[in-house]
Amino acid sequence: MFSRFSQAIVRAPARNFADGLTTVDLGPPDVDVALAQHAAYCAALARHGCTVIALPADRAHPDSTFVEDTALILPGQGAIITRPGAESRAGEVLAMREVLSAFFPELPAITSPGTLDAGDVCEAGHTVFIGISLRTNHEGARQLAEWLSRYGVESRLVDIRHTPGILHLKSGVVALDADRLLCIEALANHEAFADMRVLRVPAGEEYAANGVRVNDVIFVADDFPGTHALLRAAGYTLEPLAMSEFAKMDGGLSCLSLRF
C-alpha cells in the first residue's frame, strides 16, 4: 500500500531566498536558477498526475518554498498542522492552514512545547518514522504519534541528532514502497528499520537519499549516477531533477511540495 497523489501544493522561492536558514556551506543560491529548477519540479508533478496548487512567493518567510515542513497529510484521511522548530518559520503555518482548510474541515495542530518539521516524517504505508532532530522534539513527535494512531498508523522514532550531514530525517531516508527505503549508510542499520528492505545510497551520494515517490516514479536529484543505477536495478522509474540551488539551503525534493 502506497499513497497515490492527485494534488500538490507548492510555493516558488522569493527573491530573498538566500536569506533563509541553512547549515551547509555551499555558497548562496542563484535565485533565477532556483526559480527555473522549481518550475521544472512543478512540471514534473503535473506530468505524473498532480494538479499543482501554486502559492505566491512569500518574501516575509525566505524558507517558505519548503512547504512540506508546515503540515502532514494522510491522503484521503486527514491533515495536521505542524509547529516548525525554527522560530522564523512560525508564520508559514498560518498561511498553510488557510490553504488546507479548503480541503480538510478539521485541522488539528502540534502545540507548544512540541515542535515538529514534517521533513522529519517519513511515511511508509501504515508505518510512519518520526525523526527526533534539532527541529523536531520528543513532545512534537508524541503529539503526532497520538494523532496518527487515530488512523491506525504505527509510529517509530529515529533520533538523528548525532547523525552528521542531515538536517531532517528525510534528508537521509525516503520510502520507495510500503516496505522499502532508500537510506544513507549512517541510518541503514537503525533498529526502527529492522523489518524494512533497505537500499543504501553509494558513498558520496548522500544528498540523493532525499527523493520522493510521486505515483509511479521516483523523483531523484540529478548528477548521482550510482543512486540512479541502484534504483533502476531495483525496478523503479526515475524522474531526475536539478536541485543544486535548493541543496545550498538544506532543501531536497520532498521539501518542495505537500502532496495528497
Side-chain angles (χ1 to χ4, degrees), residues 17 28-31 33-34 37 242-250:
F17 178 45
D30 182 315
V31 178
V33 175
Q37 292 177 349
M243 287 292 292
S244 61
E245 305 315 293
F246 297 99
K248 295 173 181 177
M249 303 303 292
D250 274 324

Side-chain angles (χ1 to χ4, degrees), residues 83-241:
R83 186 169 181 264
E87 198 170 321
S88 63
R89 302 194 66 188
E92 296 176 38
V93 302
L94 301 178
M96 190 55 67
R97 175 184 286 278
E98 184 176 343
V99 173
L100 290 179
S101 65
F103 299 95
F104 300 96
E106 294 184 13
L107 278 175
I110 302 298
T111 59
S112 180
T115 62
L116 181 83
D117 281 14
D120 279 317
V121 184
C122 178
E123 307 107 282
H126 291 296
T127 303
V128 167
F129 302 100
I130 306 173
I132 302 300
S133 70
L134 297 180
R135 301 285 178 85
T136 296
N137 63 19
H138 278 92
E139 174 57 20
R142 185 198 65 77
Q143 291 180 34
L144 178 62
E146 181 179 291
W147 179 77
L148 289 168
S149 69
R150 300 173 192 170
Y151 297 95
V153 177
E154 176 195 1
S155 301
R156 302 180 192 176
L157 299 185
V158 183
D159 192 333
I160 64 164
R161 287 174 294 180
H162 301 295
T163 304
I166 61 172
L167 174 66
H168 290 124
L169 177 62
K170 279 202 294 245
S171 304
V173 59
V174 61
L176 302 170
D177 286 299
D179 64 346
R180 178 180 272 174
L181 305 174
L182 177 67
C183 200
I184 61 173
E185 184 64 36
L187 292 176
N189 293 318
H190 196 283
E191 61 184 4
F193 307 143
D195 60 347
M196 305 292 287
R197 295 180 294 160
V198 176
L199 296 180
R200 304 171 187 232
V201 297
E205 296 196 4
E206 287 78 10
Y207 180 76
N210 179 257
V212 60
R213 180 164 176 169
V214 179
N215 298 329
D216 298 321
V217 304
I218 307 296
F219 285 18
V220 62
D222 65 357
D223 292 333
F224 295 98
T227 302
H228 294 186
L230 178 73
L231 290 170
R232 287 190 173 114
Y236 295 102
T237 301
L238 306 186
E239 178 73 57
L241 292 164

